[in-house]
Amino acid sequence: MILKTKVVAVDLFRQALGAERPNDETEAEGRLQDVAINTNNETNDFERHETADSLLQYPRSQTPLDDVGIPLSHGIGVPGDDENIDRRIEREQEAVSSAPDDHPDKPKQLSNLGNSLHTRFQRLGNLDDANNAIVQHQKAVNLTQDGHPDKPALLNNLGNSMLTRFERLGNLDDIHNAIAKHQAAVNLTLDDHPDKHHWLNNLGNSLLTRFECLGNLDDIHNATVRYQEAVNLTPDDHPEKPGRLGNLGSSLLTRFRRLGNLDDANNAIVRHQEAVNLTPDGHPDKPRRLANLGSSLLTRFERFGNLDDMSNAVMRHQAAAKLTPDDHPDKPSRLDSLGSSLRMRFERLGNLDDIHDAIAQHQAAVKLTPEGHPDKPCSLDYLGTCLLIRFEHLGNLDDIRNAIARHQEAVKFTPDGHPEKPSRLNSFGNSLLTQFEHLGNPDDLEKAIVQFQVAVDLTPDGHPDKPTPLNNLGNSLLIRFEHLGNLDDMDNAIAQYQQAATLLVPGLNASEISMTWTTQLHGFKRPSSLLQIVTLTSPVGSPISELLFLPGSNDSGISTTSTMQLYSINWRSSLHQTDTLTNPVG
C-alpha cells in the first residue's frame, strides 16, 4: 500500500472504520469509499495531492515547474496496481448502476467512480476515462441540492477532472469551467471549515493553469492570493502544509518570470525551502520538493547570473533524481529537470561534460516514458533541444539529424489544441533552420518557415510567448530573402517584427529583439523600413536608441560603430522559451 502520509492515512482509517471492526475486506473498502467524498481531491501543477481513495492505494504524480525548461508531469503508474484499479472501477460501476437516483449515497458513489476513472486516466492516459470521470462528477453535482454539506467537495472533484482534461487537450471551455467549479466550492465553504484550504488550493491551481495558457495577469495575481490564503488556513502541523508552501512558491516564481519582480523570486525560493525543510527524509514527496526548489534557484540564476544559484539548483535536481526510484511515475520528470539544469550550466560555463550528461538524462526520460503517454512529447522536445545545442558546438551531423527527428516526434505526438503545441512547432522550426544554415538544403528552410507560421497562428494574441515564433518567423523569412532576393519576404519579415513589438508586455525586454532586427536589416537597401522598425522597438533613452544615428553613420542612418556595439550587448529576454530563440542573422 502506498500512502502519501501516515497521518492522513491513519485519520482516514479511523474515520472510516470507527470503533467496530469490519466483517471483511469488502465492508472495510466500502467504509473507506464513504469518507472519500469529504477529503481533499487536489490536482496541482506543482504539488500533486491524492484523492481520499487514491491515498489508500493509488499514487498521483506531480507536474514540476514547466516554463523554464523543465518538463511536464509523468503519471505513468505504479507496477502491479493497474489490475487493482480496474477491479475497483468495475465494483464502483456496479454500485452506481444498482442504486436509484434518489438514494442518499448515489452522489458519493458517482464521485468515487469519477475519482477512480480520473486516477486511471492520469496513470494510463486513456481519454475515455477522463471524459467518463467528468460525466460521473457532473451527475453527482446535479443530484446534490445546494446547501448540502457534500456540495463543495463534489464541485471540487468536478473541477479537478475538468482541469486534468484541459491539460491533456487544451480546450479552453474545460479550464474556464474548472475555475467556475472551484470558485463555487470556495464560495460555499465557511473560512473555519477544515476543507476550505483544500478548495482554495485547487482554485489556485486552475487559475495558474489558465494564466500559463492565456497570459492574463489577473489570473496569476488571483492564483497567488488563493495560494496564500490556503497557506494561512493550513495549520503548521498539518501534513499538507509543505504542499501549500510549495504551491505558493511556484505561483510566485511564475509571476516573477512574467513581471520580473525580484521579491517574487526570493520569496518563491524561501517558500520552496520551507517546504523542503518541513518534509522529513524518506518522505515520498521529498524529491518533488527538492526539484521545485532547484527550479526556483535555476530561474533566479537565469535572470541574475549568480553561479551559486546554478550550483545549488543542479545539486537539488541531482538529489531529487537520485531519491526517485526508476519505476516511480515521476522519475522521467526528475531526469528532465536535471537535464535542463545541466544544459543551462553548459550554456553558461561551456563544460562539454554537462551537455553530454544533459542529453543522457533526457534520453533516459524518453526511454522510461511509454509510447502514447501524454508527457512523452515533453521529454522528446527537451532531448531535441540539447542535441541541437551540442551540434552547434561540435558540428556532428548525427546530432542535428537526431534533434530534428526528436522535435518532429514531439510535434507529432502533441494533440492539436494542446497549449505546448506552438512551442514544440517553434523548436522543430529552429532545428530545421539550423540544418539549412549548415547544409543549405532549401527544403529545410521552407519546412522551418511552415513550422514558425503554424506556431504563430496557434498562439493567441496577447500571449507572452507569441513574440518568440514571430521573431523566428521573421528571421527565417529574412534568410530566404538573402538567398532568393524576393522583396515580399523582406516585407513579410518586417511585418512579423512589427507585430512582435506591439505584443511585447512589461517584463519582456524589447531590446533583444530590437538588436536582432537592427543587425538583420543592416545592409539591406531599405532605410525607411529600417528606421521604422528601430523607432517602433527602441524606447527613447534605451541602450539601443542611444547607439543610433551617431557620427559616422552609413547610408541607412546607423553608425558602423553602433552596429558592432549592438552585437556585444547581452540582453536576456524573459520569454519562457529562451532556448528556442534563433540567433541574430548578421
Side-chain angles (χ1 to χ4, degrees):
M1 182 184 299
I2 299 175
L3 302 177
K4 183 173 183 296
T5 64
K6 292 181 180 179
V7 174
V8 175
V10 169
D11 286 344
L12 285 170
F13 274 106
R14 286 174 178 169
Q15 180 184 351
L17 303 183
E20 298 182 4
R21 183 179 181 86
N23 294 321
D24 53 30
E25 181 181 353
T26 301
E27 181 180 345
E29 183 177 8
R31 295 191 199 174
L32 291 170
Q33 293 270 356
D34 288 341
V35 301
I37 193 74
N38 293 317
T39 57
N40 59 309
N41 173 24
E42 304 190 9
T43 59
N44 194 322
D45 283 345
F46 307 104
E47 285 281 345
R48 288 291 192 182
H49 304 289
E50 292 80 356
T51 63
D53 357 52
S54 64
L55 265 172
L56 301 173
Q57 298 183 47
Y58 307 110
R60 292 254 313 272
S61 66
Q62 55 115 17
T63 304
L65 295 168
D66 63 318
D67 11 278
V68 287
I70 310 298
L72 300 177
S73 105
H74 289 73
I76 295 171
V78 173
D81 66 1
D82 291 342
E83 183 178 355
N84 290 336
I85 196 170
D86 289 342
R87 290 201 306 266
R88 178 177 178 175
I89 288 172
E90 289 177 4
R91 289 195 298 269
E92 290 171 341
Q93 287 172 330
E94 291 173 0
V96 166
S97 298
S98 62
D101 286 349
D102 59 355
H103 192 284
D105 290 337
K106 183 70 172 263
K108 290 182 181 181
Q109 294 169 336
L110 287 163
S111 189
N112 288 334
L113 175 57
N115 288 341
S116 297
L117 290 163
H118 184 213
T119 299
R120 189 168 70 179
F121 168 69
Q122 290 182 307
R123 182 170 302 142
L124 303 178
N126 187 326
L127 190 57
D128 288 341
D129 282 339
N131 294 333
N132 199 9
I134 291 173
V135 169
Q136 305 311 316
H137 284 309
Q138 186 66 67
K139 288 179 180 178
V141 168
N142 294 343
L143 289 175
T144 305
Q145 295 182 348
D146 292 341
H148 191 284
D150 289 343
K151 188 83 168 193
L154 296 170
L155 286 164
N156 175 74
N157 291 350
L158 175 57
N160 288 341
S161 291
M162 290 174 166
L163 177 59
T164 299
R165 188 171 68 179
F166 169 76
E167 291 170 341
R168 172 69 180 271
L169 299 180
N171 186 325
L172 288 176
D173 287 341
D174 278 342
I175 188 60
H176 297 324
N177 288 330
I179 290 172
K181 304 312 177 190
H182 285 143
Q183 184 66 65
V186 168
N187 294 344
L188 290 173
T189 308
L190 298 176
D191 285 347
D192 60 355
H193 192 283
D195 288 335
K196 181 73 173 248
H197 62 97
H198 300 313
W199 315 154
L200 286 164
N201 183 75
N202 288 346
L203 176 57
N205 295 342
S206 54
L207 287 164
L208 185 59
T209 300
R210 188 169 69 180
F211 167 76
E212 290 170 340
C213 181
L214 301 180
N216 187 323
L217 287 175
D218 287 342
D219 281 341
I220 186 59
H221 293 319
N222 288 331
T224 303
V225 171
R226 300 292 87 78
Y227 284 135
Q228 183 66 66
E229 291 173 345
V231 166
N232 296 343
L233 290 177
T234 305
D236 289 342
D237 60 350
H238 193 284
E240 296 295 342
K241 187 74 170 193
R244 301 287 179 264
L245 290 164
N247 293 345
L248 176 58
S250 297
S251 182
L252 288 164
L253 193 67
T254 300
R255 189 167 67 180
F256 166 72
R257 294 192 199 107
R258 176 66 181 268
L259 300 179
N261 186 327
L262 180 58
D263 287 342
D264 279 344
N266 293 337
N267 288 331
I269 291 171
V270 170
R271 299 289 88 78
H272 283 308
Q273 186 66 65
E274 289 174 344
V276 168
N277 294 344
L278 287 174
T279 307
D281 291 341
H283 191 283
D285 289 334
K286 188 83 168 190
R288 172 169 61 238
R289 289 163 188 160
L290 284 165
N292 288 344
L293 175 58
S295 295
S296 60
L297 289 163
L298 198 64
T299 299
R300 189 169 68 179
F301 164 77
E302 282 187 282
R303 186 63 58 86
F304 300 106
N306 187 322
L307 288 178
D308 287 341
D309 281 342
M310 166 57 74
S311 298
N312 288 328
V314 172
M315 286 191 294
R316 299 303 183 276
H317 284 307
Q318 286 172 331
K322 183 177 180 180
L323 290 172
T324 306
D326 286 345
D327 61 351
H328 192 281
D330 292 342
K331 184 71 171 191
S333 74
R334 302 285 183 268
L335 294 168
D336 276 331
S337 297
L338 175 57
S340 294
S341 62
L342 290 164
R343 169 185 58 79
M344 293 177 66
R345 188 167 71 179
F346 168 74
E347 291 176 320
R348 176 63 184 268
L349 301 179
N351 186 332
L352 285 173
D353 288 341
D354 279 340
I355 193 63
H356 296 324
D357 196 8
I359 289 171
Q361 304 306 321
H362 292 308
Q363 286 173 329
V366 168
K367 185 176 180 180
L368 286 173
T369 308
E371 295 298 328
H373 191 275
D375 295 322
K376 186 127 187 176
C378 183
S379 296
L380 289 165
D381 190 56
Y382 285 118
L383 175 57
T385 296
C386 285
L387 289 165
L388 178 62
I389 290 170
R390 188 167 70 178
F391 169 74
E392 291 171 337
H393 283 79
L394 300 181
N396 187 326
L397 289 177
D398 286 341
D399 279 342
I400 186 59
R401 290 166 181 153
N402 287 329
I404 289 172
R406 300 296 84 76
H407 281 143
Q408 187 171 22
E409 289 171 346
V411 169
K412 178 181 178 180
F413 298 138
T414 303
D416 292 339
H418 191 283
E420 294 299 319
K421 186 85 169 192
S423 76
R424 289 168 190 165
L425 287 161
N426 190 66
S427 297
F428 183 28
N430 281 334
S431 59
L432 288 164
L433 188 60
T434 300
Q435 180 165 271
F436 167 75
E437 291 171 330
H438 284 79
L439 301 181
N441 185 336
D443 288 343
D444 286 333
L445 178 57
E446 296 302 321
K447 291 177 183 177
I449 291 172
V450 170
Q451 308 312 311
F452 292 136
Q453 184 65 66
V454 176
V456 166
D457 294 341
L458 291 178
T459 307
D461 289 344
H463 192 283
D465 290 342
K466 184 136 189 180
T468 303
L470 284 167
N471 180 65
N472 289 344
L473 177 57
N475 292 341
S476 59
L477 290 166
L478 277 175
I479 291 171
R480 190 166 69 180
F481 170 76
E482 284 184 290
H483 285 79
L484 302 180
N486 187 331
L487 289 179
D488 288 342
D489 283 338
M490 165 65 87
D491 292 333
N492 197 4
I494 291 172
Q496 308 312 312
Y497 294 140
Q498 288 174 320
Q499 186 179 356
T502 63
L503 293 175
L504 288 171
V505 296
L508 299 182
N509 195 331
S511 298
E512 180 176 14
I513 295 179
S514 182
M515 176 185 71
T516 301
W517 298 345
T518 303
T519 55
Q520 286 174 336
L521 292 171
H522 177 67
F524 296 124
K525 296 181 180 179
R526 300 175 66 84
S528 61
S529 296
L530 172 59
L531 297 180
Q532 183 181 13
I533 295 297
V534 172
T535 300
L536 280 171
T537 61
S538 297
V540 175
S542 70
I544 296 293
S545 67
E546 290 173 358
L547 294 175
L548 303 177
F549 312 113
L550 297 177
S553 62
N554 56 28
D555 291 340
S556 62
I558 307 299
S559 71
T560 304
T561 303
S562 299
T563 303
M564 299 304 295
Q565 286 178 288
L566 288 169
Y567 280 99
S568 68
I569 298 176
N570 182 24
W571 292 101
R572 293 290 296 172
S573 168
S574 62
L575 295 171
H576 293 314
Q577 303 292 333
T578 51
D579 52 277
T580 62
L581 282 169
T582 57
N583 294 324
V585 181

